[in-house]
Amino acid sequence: EAIGASMHSGLADVEALVDKVFMQPQLLQQKEIWKRHGLYFENMHKYKTLPSDPDLVERANAVVEKIQRLPKIFSEALKGVKMALAVAKEIESWAKIAAPLLRRETEEKVAVV
């Protein structure tokens, strides 16, 4: 399904960016590298986009945890850290609305069978 594939890709991209930042901290001077990801997850949250794969919520939470490690190593005053944390907030907001909706959807499918 297209939404699930897109979200898997989006989360993988964010995770790869976090890994890249740990290897190249100078990237934290660039807030622009996070903007596209923030907008993507803001839209997923805003439109309550649901993939068919409920495991994406858990994956999203793992990516959020990884992003939240940045200010433990780098200054929170850096533009990139601020933007990364904003992306984490958008992912977290999506996960909070998606988890109960996906749970309900799964329960309804089980009830029909």
Side-chain angles (χ1 to χ4, degrees):
E1 85 111 48
I3 293 171
S6 175
M7 292 197 83
H8 271 290
S9 178
L11 290 167
D13 289 349
V14 170
E15 192 168 36
L17 184 54
V18 173
D19 290 340
K20 193 173 181 180
V21 163
F22 280 122
M23 301 297 249
Q24 300 173 13
Q26 67 273 21
L27 292 174
L28 289 171
Q29 298 298 326
Q30 305 171 24
K31 66 179 186 177
E32 305 80 34
I33 61 175
W34 297 98
K35 191 169 186 165
R36 176 176 65 92
H37 303 295
L39 291 172
Y40 176 82
F41 286 103
E42 178 183 9
N43 283 325
M44 295 294 115
H45 172 233
K46 186 181 200 177
Y47 296 106
K48 298 179 180 167
T49 306
L50 297 178
S52 61
D53 181 2
D55 292 339
L56 275 168
V57 172
E58 195 173 307
R59 173 105 169 84
N61 289 328
V63 171
V64 167
E65 286 177 21
K66 194 168 200 173
I67 294 170
Q68 289 173 337
R69 282 187 243 153
L70 288 172
K72 293 177 182 169
I73 298 169
F74 306 106
S75 171
E76 243 181 285
L78 293 169
K79 295 173 188 175
V81 173
K82 288 179 184 176
M83 284 297 287
L85 292 173
V87 170
K89 186 177 177 187
E90 290 299 341
I91 295 171
E92 198 170 37
S93 294
W94 170 80
K96 282 181 183 174
I97 63 113
L101 293 173
L102 286 168
R103 197 174 314 114
R104 189 174 334 135
E105 196 174 275
T106 302
E107 289 169 0
E108 288 172 1
K109 285 180 184 176
V110 169
V112 171
V113 176

